[in-house]
Amino acid sequence: MGSLDSNINSAQNQSTIAKFNPLDPEEFRTQAHQMVDFIADYYKNIENYPVLSQVEPGYLRNRLPETAPYRPESFDTIMKDIQNHIVPGMTHWLSPNFFAFFPATVSSAAFVGEMLCTCFNSVGFNWLASPAVTELEMVVMDWLANMLKLPKSFMFSGTGGGVLQGTTSEAILCTLIAARDRKLETLGVHNIGKLVVYGSDQTHSTYTKACKLAGIFPCNIRAIPTSVESNFSLSPVVLRRVIEADMAAGLVPLFLCATVGTTSTTAVDPIGQLAEVANEHKIWLHVDAAYGGSACICPEFRHYLDGIERADSLSLSPHKWLLSYLDCCCMWVREPNVLVKALSTNPEYLRNKRSEYESVVDYKDWQIGTGRRFKSLRLWLVMRSYGIVNLQSHIRSDVRMAKMFEGFIKSDPRFEIVVPRRFSLVCFRFNPVKESEPAYIELLNKKLLDSINSTGRVYITHTIAGGIYMLRFAVGATLTEDRHVIAAWKLIKESADASLRRSYYYTTV
Amino acid sequence: MGSLDSNINSAQNQSTIAKFNPLDPEEFRTQAHQMVDFIADYYKNIENYPVLSQVEPGYLRNRLPETAPYRPESFDTIMKDIQNHIVPGMTHWLSPNFFAFFPATVSSAAFVGEMLCTCFNSVGFNWLASPAVTELEMVVMDWLANMLKLPKSFMFSGTGGGVLQGTTSEAILCTLIAARDRKLETLGVHNIGKLVVYGSDQTHSTYTKACKLAGIFPCNIRAIPTSVESNFSLSPVVLRRVIEADMAAGLVPLFLCATVGTTSTTAVDPIGQLAEVANEHKIWLHVDAAYGGSACICPEFRHYLDGIERADSLSLSPHKWLLSYLDCCCMWVREPNVLVKALSTNPEYLRNKRSEYESVVDYKDWQIGTGRRFKSLRLWLVMRSYGIVNLQSHIRSDVRMAKMFEGFIKSDPRFEIVVPRRFSLVCFRFNPVKESEPAYIELLNKKLLDSINSTGRVYITHTIAGGIYMLRFAVGATLTEDRHVIAAWKLIKESADASLRRSYYYTTV
């Protein structure tokens, strides 16, 4: 009997094996349609979920088996598990009540663009491996450069060019390596320990990480202090002083990362003035405009990029504010050949006549990895589906809502704006009793933040800059409307009232 | 009149602006359903397209406007442009007649998993930012580790752990940095110029690139020669000799990258023996099993990973052979704390109690960038939808078809197998007149390759290893069936016949 059973099992195995077709177009069609409806419903009902997930660490391991199943499971079973086990563990970044970090923005156009990118699954490491992948990316990078009024020196239609990276981290690492290798070519590689890099204490933490990855000595990474008095902007005067001290000590200035819209408080470094210092000392100037750069498609914000023609490279992440879904970081360089020289590889199995004789762009030489997806489709669909007019209006609408929230803060004397608002982030704090100790204010705000987020009704985060603990209210989730901002303010005010009642109770009992 | 017009325009602008909602759930539903049908039809008809795109460089720029549109364009217009302008510029990686490089494999399950990943658009930089993103990735990495029979020292359920990287390049860079910083901690950063790294002349080109990125001096990157006699496998004896010479010269051995399934010829380095040498000299051993690792879920291939328990890290790309779509590279490490120490950042705005007091995994400290997508969904859906049984059968089916092709080659005395087949890649060449000059054989094969690929009916690529020019026939595109392999062989034979007729014509005229 045992052997009969195992014969049957074996026959069943055979039939499972014989039938296995992981890309049957009709099964694909059915499952993908089902998933579209799941997602559309999720977007429709997203407000019903607590924004910040309320699960405890380790929740999922306890709910799932220890090993992958030996036999297939049904699509319906899996979909049920997604609803029951995955959704509760999500912090819903697309909720209209998400005001944390910087929101990650999305759109129908980018979604279908991403579907198409996935569909083709082409690996565009060089031109030949998929001409459309390379050429559409070149077109899209020039389109966005045009929208930002970048100089021709950053465009393929001029003398530069752009590429899609995954994240700002990669953009910074690639440009830094290009700068490093150009400098070491004359200096000699054994002088790597002399190279110094500059940023402010507000520059994104990934900058320091990228510098360390690139072998810059940790002792040669300068994070120049900023202060609340200058809105956390990097001072060209201080920068010059630090550079001169380094040079006097026999060190070699290499790279400066300036920021348009820092992560903590959306501070803006003065590109033009910093470029003057950088150019003077032959320092590679990279401008990280991950968040703030998108606003510069509107004429009223474009001045934040003034002086960009004197920078060497620029990066901007449309997943932050241009509706493109993750991950999408645009990077432009003024001298592509310097980048390519530092990052190119030439294995035999990728050699082809197009790359050798026709000077096509091979994007593998513009990035860390070899393989790459057809990511430009998302941006292309966003730009065409909405047009510049709607993208500008999207930026303005977020800024308008942030202004509204700023007005609420200003209208309540128990609250204060800590840093003037520039884009769609409001940095504020609760400070009901003037002249309180900083430590007390910090504690008060920490408690307020906890009590707000624990409701699950909104999610906001905090930062510390210049030693000041503050709350960050970042408007920009794609589905956010006025009513969400108004409700958030109401919740913040109620939580503040409750915290005052509690503290009154404790001080009087 | 002019002013009336502009009033109307302005009013129209207002109405466009007022109505702009980039994520209307019902518009999303309609467009996404339409895209599903487009993609299902594309998969259904994919054989009708020339595999290798036949466009000329610059084709797309001439067909698209120079700037993004100011006003929105309709979805139908865009879809038509995709069909007319994008599809012709694609090299169709998913075509069943794609035998180039290594195929990039896909499945319905991974597609819907990717849709869901896009849908949530959560940025899982730390645990709190989306608990499910971190926890599912941990589960999935342990599941795959189990399927590969990796030791507990690489699993979260043991003392190690795994993470999803985008590409092997990132996996290598991250582990290399971990190794580098651990070594420099005792050695002092000023000794970076003493660090030496090892690989073979068959190691992926991205390894050299990663070493340069990490600041390893180019003169300290060893590419140890291999030969066709040993099937391009790295010799532990030669490795030991090179290491000892370096140590005698006062250098410090740091890192060894061994490969299971090299890109050129799927050579396999002997992990166990190399580990012995590496362990002896405290060298970090990374195993790049990007392609070959997937086969090790089948018991008959698992021996290629023998000795893995003595390696420090391992990477494997399911987008190559486990149906997961790009980009998906699994990386496991034996000592996560060494990796985290090298790659962690701790900006104030990401600080939270969970990370500080509950020792949750914050994946931003396991990778180059900060932001990350919910990529484990794809693998989770693949494993559950198909089960281990079908994934094994998928590997075996590809290997069986490659064996069949190998048989065709062996059956025709004008062709020869250059390197014994190990997985699903066949390295062969056309060599009709024995004892020909190598340069003549190379020319003959180059011409043969061109004539095959220019038909658009299949796409195959070449390599050079040990000075030998050879053609690569990589079976593994998800839709490939026996009939495609048979037709490809028929085409290759016909092209060879034609080339012989031509060469007969030229030599006799």
Side-chain angles (χ1 to χ4, degrees):
Chain A
M1 273 215 335
S3 72
L4 183 65
D5 273 1
S6 53
N7 281 346
I8 292 171
N9 280 342
S10 152
Q12 280 175 338
N13 271 354
Q14 292 281 327
S15 90
T16 314
I17 289 166
K19 278 188 299 186
F20 183 51
N21 178 359
L23 194 65
D24 174 77
E26 295 316 316
E27 187 188 57
F28 170 90
R29 200 188 299 269
T30 309
Q31 293 185 353
H33 278 310
Q34 217 173 316
M35 187 57 92
V36 167
D37 286 325
F38 177 91
I39 295 171
D41 293 343
Y42 169 76
Y43 287 157
K44 212 166 170 174
N45 301 318
I46 195 164
E47 285 187 56
N48 302 336
Y49 298 110
V51 191
L52 180 63
S53 173
Q54 310 286 312
V55 299
E56 291 295 313
Y59 89 100
L60 192 59
R61 183 169 285 272
N62 301 329
R63 298 185 188 196
L64 297 180
E66 263 181 58
T67 53
Y70 183 69
R71 301 200 167 279
E73 297 181 79
S74 80
F75 190 61
D76 287 345
T77 310
I78 299 171
M79 289 302 287
K80 266 181 211 146
D81 281 356
I82 289 166
Q83 189 63 58
N84 295 336
H85 302 312
I86 301 300
V87 172
M90 297 307 297
T91 291
H92 299 280
W93 280 68
L94 299 196
S95 165
N97 298 312
F98 184 98
F99 301 102
F101 311 113
F102 288 127
T105 60
V106 305
S107 59
S108 303
F111 192 95
V112 293
E114 174 63 22
M115 285 172 77
L116 199 60
C117 162
T118 308
C119 155
F120 289 129
N121 203 42
S122 65
V123 189
F125 38 66
N126 59 18
W127 181 87
L128 188 66
S130 247
V133 176
T134 298
E135 298 207 6
L136 188 66
E137 189 161 326
M138 294 169 73
V139 166
V140 161
M141 293 303 296
D142 268 14
W143 279 14
L144 188 52
N146 257 307
M147 285 166 65
L148 292 164
K149 308 238 177 303
L150 296 186
K152 279 279 179 191
S153 53
F154 281 115
M155 297 188 207
F156 287 109
S157 62
T159 51
V163 60
L164 287 175
Q165 303 280 356
T167 61
T168 302
S169 313
E170 292 156 57
I172 291 180
L173 182 58
C174 289
T175 51
L176 179 61
I177 295 291
R180 185 198 69 182
D181 285 3
R182 181 169 66 178
K183 192 70 93 180
L184 290 178
E185 204 175 274
T186 50
L187 216 59
V189 67
H190 56 282
N191 279 315
I192 191 170
K194 287 190 181 164
L195 302 178
V196 193
V197 298
Y198 304 87
S200 85
D201 58 4
Q202 298 300 307
T203 309
H204 196 282
S205 58
T206 204
Y207 177 54
T208 307
K209 184 163 161 178
C211 294
K212 287 185 194 161
L213 288 173
I216 303 298
F217 287 14
C219 56
N220 289 345
I221 302 171
R222 307 272 173 267
I224 298 171
T226 60
S227 70
V228 68
E229 288 74 28
S230 55
N231 296 332
F232 301 109
S233 171
L234 176 57
S235 154
V237 177
V238 181
L239 173 70
R240 186 186 298 273
R241 207 179 305 142
V242 175
I243 290 172
E244 284 169 359
D246 283 332
M247 291 174 73
L251 297 173
V252 179
L254 174 68
F255 195 90
L256 166 64
C257 181
T259 310
V260 174
T262 61
T263 307
S264 260
T265 66
T266 67
V268 174
D269 295 333
I271 307 301
Q273 295 170 50
L274 295 173
E276 202 173 304
V277 182
N279 290 177
E280 197 177 306
H281 295 287
K282 297 199 165 51
I283 296 171
W284 183 298
L285 172 59
H286 178 79
V287 176
D288 167 10
Y291 164 75
S294 296
C296 301
I297 64 167
C298 300
E300 66 270 31
F301 290 107
R302 174 56 177 77
H303 64 94
Y304 289 128
L305 286 180
D306 282 358
I308 193 68
E309 66 282 357
R310 299 169 69 187
D312 296 277
S313 51
L314 167 69
S315 58
L316 178 165
S317 296
H319 61 236
K320 282 206 160 59
W321 212 356
L322 284 179
L323 309 174
S324 79
Y325 282 95
L326 287 174
D327 42 4
C328 181
C329 172
C330 296
M331 173 184 121
W332 292 270
V333 287
R334 212 169 51 177
E335 294 179 86
N337 62 321
V338 180
L339 189 74
V340 168
K341 194 169 179 192
L343 299 177
S344 70
T345 56
N346 193 14
E348 182 60 39
Y349 46 83
L350 297 186
R351 280 203 182 147
N352 66 84
K353 287 180 206 159
R354 301 298 199 179
S355 296
E356 275 167 52
Y357 305 122
E358 306 194 40
S359 66
V360 293
V361 165
D362 287 344
Y363 270 129
K364 72 175 173 51
D365 299 337
W366 294 55
Q367 62 175 19
I368 296 167
T370 307
R372 60 201 324 274
R373 306 171 71 231
F374 195 173
K375 285 202 299 189
S376 60
L377 281 169
R378 288 207 303 261
L379 271 184
W380 191 52
L381 263 81
V382 164
M383 291 189 212
R384 296 192 60 185
S385 301
Y386 306 130
I388 298 172
V389 60
N390 278 312
L391 293 174
Q392 288 176 334
S393 104
H394 164 70
I395 298 281
R396 287 169 181 150
S397 159
D398 285 349
V399 172
R400 188 186 51 71
M401 286 191 278
K403 271 187 193 163
M404 180 173 75
F405 184 82
E406 188 187 23
F408 295 153
I409 295 291
K410 286 181 173 168
S411 71
D412 187 328
R414 299 170 307 169
F415 285 87
E416 59 192 23
I417 298 289
V418 183
V419 189
R421 185 199 50 73
R422 281 189 198 272
F423 301 100
S424 68
L425 171 74
V426 181
C427 295
F428 69 102
R429 64 177 184 172
F430 181 44
N431 190 7
V433 185
K434 299 303 157 192
E435 293 170 36
S436 302
E437 288 293 314
Y440 171 76
I441 305 176
E442 179 167 336
L443 189 69
L444 207 61
N445 280 277
K446 275 183 175 167
K447 282 187 175 172
L448 180 63
L449 185 66
D450 278 351
S451 76
I452 292 165
N453 286 337
S454 67
T455 65
R457 284 158 56 197
V458 302
Y459 182 26
I460 64 178
T461 49
H462 81 286
T463 194
I464 295 180
I468 307 166
Y469 186 98
M470 61 192 101
L471 304 182
R472 296 171 75 265
F473 190 85
V475 177
T478 309
L479 294 166
T480 301
E481 300 169 19
D482 287 14
R483 65 188 170 94
H484 303 105
V485 175
I486 293 165
W489 167 239
K490 198 160 163 263
L491 174 65
I492 293 169
K493 236 178 24 175
E494 284 166 8
S495 304
D497 292 342
S499 89
L500 283 183
R501 275 199 302 277
R502 273 196 306 275
S503 95
Y504 175 77
Y505 176 79
Y506 287 122
T507 49
T508 52
V509 171
Chain B
M1 270 212 341
S3 73
L4 183 64
D5 272 1
S6 53
N7 281 345
I8 291 170
N9 280 343
S10 153
Q12 280 174 338
N13 271 354
Q14 292 281 326
S15 89
T16 314
I17 290 168
K19 276 188 302 187
F20 183 52
N21 177 0
L23 193 65
D24 174 76
E26 295 315 317
E27 186 188 59
F28 170 90
R29 198 188 300 269
T30 310
Q31 294 185 352
H33 278 310
Q34 217 173 315
M35 187 56 93
V36 167
D37 286 325
F38 177 92
I39 295 172
D41 293 343
Y42 169 77
Y43 286 156
K44 212 167 169 172
N45 303 318
I46 194 163
E47 284 187 58
N48 302 336
Y49 298 111
V51 191
L52 180 64
S53 173
Q54 310 287 312
V55 299
E56 291 295 315
Y59 90 100
L60 192 59
R61 181 169 288 272
N62 301 329
R63 299 185 186 194
L64 298 181
E66 263 182 57
T67 53
Y70 184 69
R71 300 199 168 280
E73 295 182 80
S74 80
F75 190 61
D76 287 344
T77 309
I78 299 170
M79 289 303 286
K80 265 180 212 146
D81 281 356
I82 289 166
Q83 189 63 57
N84 296 337
H85 302 311
I86 301 299
V87 172
M90 296 307 298
T91 291
H92 299 281
W93 281 69
L94 299 197
S95 165
N97 298 312
F98 184 98
F99 302 102
F101 311 112
F102 289 128
T105 59
V106 305
S107 59
S108 303
F111 192 96
V112 293
E114 175 62 22
M115 286 172 76
L116 200 58
C117 163
T118 308
C119 154
F120 289 129
N121 201 44
S122 64
V123 189
F125 38 66
N126 59 18
W127 182 87
L128 188 66
S130 245
V133 176
T134 298
E135 298 207 5
L136 188 67
E137 189 161 326
M138 294 169 72
V139 166
V140 160
M141 292 303 297
D142 267 16
W143 278 14
L144 188 52
N146 257 307
M147 284 166 66
L148 293 163
K149 308 238 178 303
L150 295 187
K152 278 280 178 190
S153 53
F154 281 115
M155 298 188 207
F156 287 111
S157 62
T159 50
V163 61
L164 288 175
Q165 303 281 356
T167 61
T168 302
S169 314
E170 292 156 58
I172 292 180
L173 182 58
C174 288
T175 50
L176 180 61
I177 295 291
R180 183 197 71 181
D181 286 3
R182 181 169 65 178
K183 192 72 92 180
L184 290 180
E185 203 175 276
T186 50
L187 216 59
V189 67
H190 57 281
N191 279 314
I192 191 170
K194 289 191 179 163
L195 302 178
V196 193
V197 297
Y198 304 87
S200 85
D201 59 3
Q202 299 300 307
T203 309
H204 196 283
S205 58
T206 203
Y207 177 53
T208 307
K209 183 163 162 178
C211 294
K212 286 185 195 160
L213 288 173
I216 303 298
F217 287 14
C219 54
N220 289 345
I221 302 172
R222 307 274 173 266
I224 298 171
T226 60
S227 70
V228 68
E229 289 73 28
S230 55
N231 297 330
F232 302 108
S233 171
L234 175 57
S235 154
V237 177
V238 181
L239 172 70
R240 186 186 298 275
R241 208 179 306 141
V242 176
I243 290 172
E244 285 170 359
D246 283 332
M247 290 175 73
L251 298 172
V252 179
L254 174 68
F255 195 90
L256 165 64
C257 181
T259 310
V260 174
T262 61
T263 308
S264 260
T265 67
T266 66
V268 175
D269 295 332
I271 307 302
Q273 295 170 50
L274 294 173
E276 203 172 304
V277 182
N279 291 175
E280 198 177 306
H281 296 287
K282 296 200 167 51
I283 295 172
W284 182 298
L285 172 58
H286 178 79
V287 176
D288 167 10
Y291 164 76
S294 295
C296 300
I297 64 166
C298 300
E300 66 271 31
F301 290 107
R302 174 56 177 76
H303 64 94
Y304 289 128
L305 286 180
D306 282 357
I308 192 68
E309 66 282 358
R310 298 168 69 186
D312 296 277
S313 51
L314 166 69
S315 58
L316 179 165
S317 297
H319 61 236
K320 283 206 158 59
W321 213 355
L322 284 179
L323 309 174
S324 79
Y325 283 95
L326 286 172
D327 43 1
C328 182
C329 173
C330 298
M331 173 184 122
W332 291 271
V333 288
R334 212 170 49 177
E335 295 180 84
N337 61 321
V338 179
L339 188 74
V340 168
K341 194 169 178 191
L343 299 177
S344 70
T345 55
N346 193 14
E348 181 61 39
Y349 46 81
L350 297 186
R351 281 204 181 146
N352 66 84
K353 288 180 203 157
R354 301 299 198 179
S355 296
E356 276 168 52
Y357 305 122
E358 305 194 37
S359 64
V360 292
V361 166
D362 287 343
Y363 269 128
K364 73 176 172 51
D365 299 336
W366 293 56
Q367 62 176 18
I368 296 168
T370 306
R372 62 201 322 273
R373 305 170 73 230
F374 195 173
K375 286 201 300 189
S376 61
L377 280 169
R378 290 208 301 262
L379 272 184
W380 191 52
L381 263 81
V382 165
M383 292 190 212
R384 295 191 63 185
S385 301
Y386 306 131
I388 297 171
V389 61
N390 279 312
L391 293 174
Q392 289 177 336
S393 104
H394 164 71
I395 298 282
R396 286 169 181 149
S397 160
D398 286 349
V399 172
R400 188 187 49 73
M401 286 191 278
K403 270 187 194 164
M404 181 173 75
F405 184 83
E406 187 187 24
F408 295 153
I409 294 290
K410 286 181 175 169
S411 72
D412 188 326
R414 300 171 304 169
F415 286 86
E416 58 192 24
I417 298 289
V418 183
V419 189
R421 184 200 50 74
R422 282 189 197 272
F423 301 101
S424 68
L425 171 76
V426 180
C427 293
F428 69 103
R429 63 178 185 173
F430 182 43
N431 189 7
V433 184
K434 300 302 157 193
E435 292 172 35
S436 303
E437 287 294 314
Y440 171 75
I441 305 175
E442 179 166 335
L443 189 69
L444 207 61
N445 280 276
K446 276 183 176 168
K447 283 188 174 172
L448 180 63
L449 185 66
D450 277 351
S451 78
I452 293 165
N453 287 337
S454 66
T455 64
R457 283 160 55 199
V458 302
Y459 182 27
I460 63 177
T461 49
H462 81 286
T463 193
I464 296 180
I468 308 165
Y469 185 98
M470 60 191 102
L471 304 182
R472 299 170 75 265
F473 190 85
V475 177
T478 309
L479 294 167
T480 301
E481 299 170 20
D482 287 14
R483 64 187 171 92
H484 301 105
V485 175
I486 293 165
W489 167 240
K490 199 160 163 264
L491 174 65
I492 293 168
K493 237 178 22 176
E494 284 166 9
S495 304
D497 292 343
S499 88
L500 284 183
R501 276 199 303 277
R502 272 197 307 274
S503 93
Y504 175 77
Y505 175 79
Y506 287 121
T507 49
T508 53
V509 172

